[in-house]
């Protein structure tokens, strides 16, 4: 029977292994670290033509990077296995438990908390990697988010990081009297009352700028983590109150389309010219181009409304402690992040700041966006976003938090009522897990 991996299972297994010292793939980490610190095993550059690196990812498109790397390291093969976004996390965790992981994992920041409190990934601050020399070349927030939960080890090396952006139909907004220029629209939407007025006017013509009442809170969620590294609850500032009330107003006035863009109903709304705005990462442009090629030239991109600066996600490389080719695997990771990314990364922004600054200087008009150039905008937004720490309970806790917010909107709860409910339910569900995690670090 296929095993379903849960946070509790991983947490218990880690604690048991740590206490018992029994033989396990995880318990081999310290032995491997001691060996690689003095002598990389079996993958020196002179035998690189005999090596096949394995990499697991949750997205494709790695061929250009691999081509550049194998041109430098002749004869090396890089085999990539791609999993769906919904299944990759469990596949990765299962491989660590079974003791048969790939050399390299590509992990999304949203699931990084599932890996940062367990064994099985190399500390890239240690020899022979010594990645700490690159620390100043990354956002300090992104760097910290790639550390183990105890903050003592660097277990991820950031490859790309995407700010949240607004995609909008410039023609529809202009038709009904609203700003269509990206900079003007971004400024206009800074005030919630302007955004609400736009939603009301467009609704009269059966056009929507929100799919769900909680869209606004989701934007806030991307700008603020649920917990800090000490599990202090973070979403209790004045912006939360302002945006929770905005979400209630969307629900009260029926300003949401009540469809999902990832389902056919949402896509039909776009094809019928009834959806004027979407909020996604910078990778959203590729989705729009694929889904709606006939609308090329009609879309534009600007910053988020409400003066929010959201971090959509990042992709990070991690190196398996059971890899037999650690030295070469690290060379691949290092090459991808610090050399290949200097040419830019398709659909997102390099995490490596020297590459990001170079990309900023390259204005590339995009025909789908009516000739708009977006590189400078992406870099500006990234400079204002905060890549928050992702804890081992974040994925499940965020899902619970979203459910509590939905219920609060439906019940017309006050800000204090919904916050009280959030604290009570989150503490009831995760209090013991938090206690174990804090005690164990």
């Amino acid at each position: 029977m296929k095993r379903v991996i849960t946070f509790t299972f991983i947490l218990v297994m880690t604690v048991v292994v740590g206490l018992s010292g029994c033989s396990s793939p995880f318990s081999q980490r310290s032995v491997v670290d001691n060996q690689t610190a003095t002598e990389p095993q079996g993958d020196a550059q002179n035998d690189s033509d005999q090596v096949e690196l394995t990499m697991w990812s949750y997205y494709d498109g790695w061929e250009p990077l691999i081509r550049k790397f194998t041109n430098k390291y002749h004869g090396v093969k890089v085999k990539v296995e791609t999993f769906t976004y919904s299944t990759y996390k469990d596949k990765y965790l299962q491989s660590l438990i079974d003791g048969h992981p790939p050399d390299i994992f590509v992990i999304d920041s949203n699931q990084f908390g599932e890996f940062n409190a367990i064994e099985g990934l190399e500390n890239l601050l240690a020899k022979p990697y010594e990645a700490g020399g690159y620390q100043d070349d990354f956002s300090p927030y992104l760097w910290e988010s790639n550390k183990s939960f105890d903050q003592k080890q660097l277990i991820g090396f950031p490859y790309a990081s995407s700010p949240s952006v607004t995609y909008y139909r410039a023609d529809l907004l202009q038709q009904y009297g609203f700003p269509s220029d990206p900079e003007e629209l971004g400024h206009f939407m800074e005030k919630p009352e302007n955004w609400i007025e736009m939603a009301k006017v467009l609704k009269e013509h059966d056009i929507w700028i929100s799919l769900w009442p909680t869209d606004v809170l989701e934007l806030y969620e991307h700008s603020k983590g649920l917990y800090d590294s000490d599990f202090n609850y973070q979403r209790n500032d004045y912006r939360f109150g302002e945006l929770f009330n905005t979400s209630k107003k969307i629900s009260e006035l029926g300003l949401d389309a009540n469809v999902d863009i990832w389902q056919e109903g949402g896509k039909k709304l776009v094809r019928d010219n009834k959806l004027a705005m979407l909020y996604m990462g910078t990778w959203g442009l590729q989705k729009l181009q694929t889904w709606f090629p006939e609308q090329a030239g009609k879309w534009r991109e600007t910053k988020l409304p409400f003066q929010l600066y959201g971090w959509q996600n990042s992709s990070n490389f991690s190196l398996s402690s059971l890899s037999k080719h650690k030295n070469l695997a690290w060379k691949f990771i290092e090459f991808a992040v610090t050399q290949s990314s200097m040419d830019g990364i398709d659909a997102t922004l390099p995490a490596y700041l020297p590459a990001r600054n170079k990309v900023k200087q390259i204005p590339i008009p995009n025909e789908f966006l009516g000739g708009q150039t977006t590189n400078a905008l992406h870099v500006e937004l990234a400079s204002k976003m905060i890549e928050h720490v992702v804890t081992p309970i974040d994925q499940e806790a965020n899902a619970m938090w979203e459910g509590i917010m939905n219920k609060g909107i439906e019940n017309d709860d006050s800000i204090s009522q919904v916050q009280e409910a959030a604290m009570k339910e989150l503490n009831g569900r995760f209090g013991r897990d938090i206690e174990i995690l804090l005690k164990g670090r």
Side-chain angles (χ1 to χ4, degrees), residues 128-254:
Y129 320 112
E130 299 182 297
Y134 289 113
Q135 182 171 351
D136 291 341
D137 293 323
F138 295 89
S139 153
Y141 301 109
L142 184 59
W143 184 266
E144 292 300 313
S145 75
N146 274 266
K147 286 186 174 181
S148 56
F149 178 69
D150 63 10
Q151 298 291 293
K152 295 177 181 178
Q153 302 181 45
L154 186 74
I155 58 170
F157 203 55
Y159 177 57
S161 192
S162 172
S164 303
V165 298
T166 300
Y167 293 104
Y168 66 96
R169 284 283 299 272
D171 56 329
L172 295 178
L173 296 193
Q174 185 175 32
Q175 181 179 346
Y176 294 103
F178 295 102
S180 59
D181 175 78
E183 190 171 346
E184 291 177 6
L185 178 63
H187 180 71
F188 177 79
M189 294 193 301
E190 288 180 355
K191 296 181 179 180
E193 56 267 30
N194 287 347
W195 187 93
I196 288 288
E197 181 61 25
M198 181 165 55
K200 288 166 65 176
V201 170
L202 292 175
K203 180 191 174 184
E204 294 174 0
H205 303 279
D206 197 27
I207 297 172
W208 311 89
I209 61 173
S210 179
L211 296 175
W212 307 100
T214 51
D215 278 0
V216 170
L217 283 179
E218 185 176 340
L219 300 183
Y220 172 77
E221 187 177 341
H222 287 302
S223 71
K224 193 121 182 154
L226 184 59
Y227 296 107
D228 66 13
S229 58
D230 294 318
F231 284 107
N232 296 306
Y233 181 73
Q234 297 293 288
R235 294 179 186 156
N236 53 2
D237 57 5
Y238 81 97
R239 295 308 310 276
F240 168 81
E242 180 182 52
L243 297 173
F244 180 72
N245 284 335
T246 300
S247 293
K248 289 204 300 180
K249 188 167 290 187
I250 294 170
S251 179
E252 175 190 342
L253 299 176

Side-chain angles (χ1 to χ4, degrees), residues 12 89 102 107 110 113-115 118 133 139 141 175 212 219 240 258 281 293 320 329 336 350 354 401 406 418-419 425:
V12 169
K89 178 195 70 178
I107 303 176
N110 291 310
E114 304 283 333
F115 299 87
I118 64 173
S139 153
Y141 301 109
Q175 181 179 346
W212 307 100
L219 300 183
F240 168 81
N258 199 31
S320 167
W401 185 84
N406 263 314
V418 77
Q419 288 287 27
E425 293 187 36

Side-chain angles (χ1 to χ4, degrees), residues 24 40 93 100 111 124 175 243 269 298-299 338 343 358 370 388 420 428 430 434:
S24 157
L93 291 170
H100 301 291
Q111 285 79 39
L124 300 178
Q175 181 179 346
L243 297 173
L269 205 65
K298 297 180 179 180
W299 288 87
T338 68
D343 299 326
K358 181 181 177 183
H388 52 266
E420 183 179 349
F430 299 106
I434 291 173

Side-chain angles (χ1 to χ4, degrees), residues 118-131:
I118 64 173
E119 297 289 342
L121 302 177
E122 286 289 272
N123 176 19
L124 300 178
L125 297 176
K127 293 181 180 180
Y129 320 112
E130 299 182 297

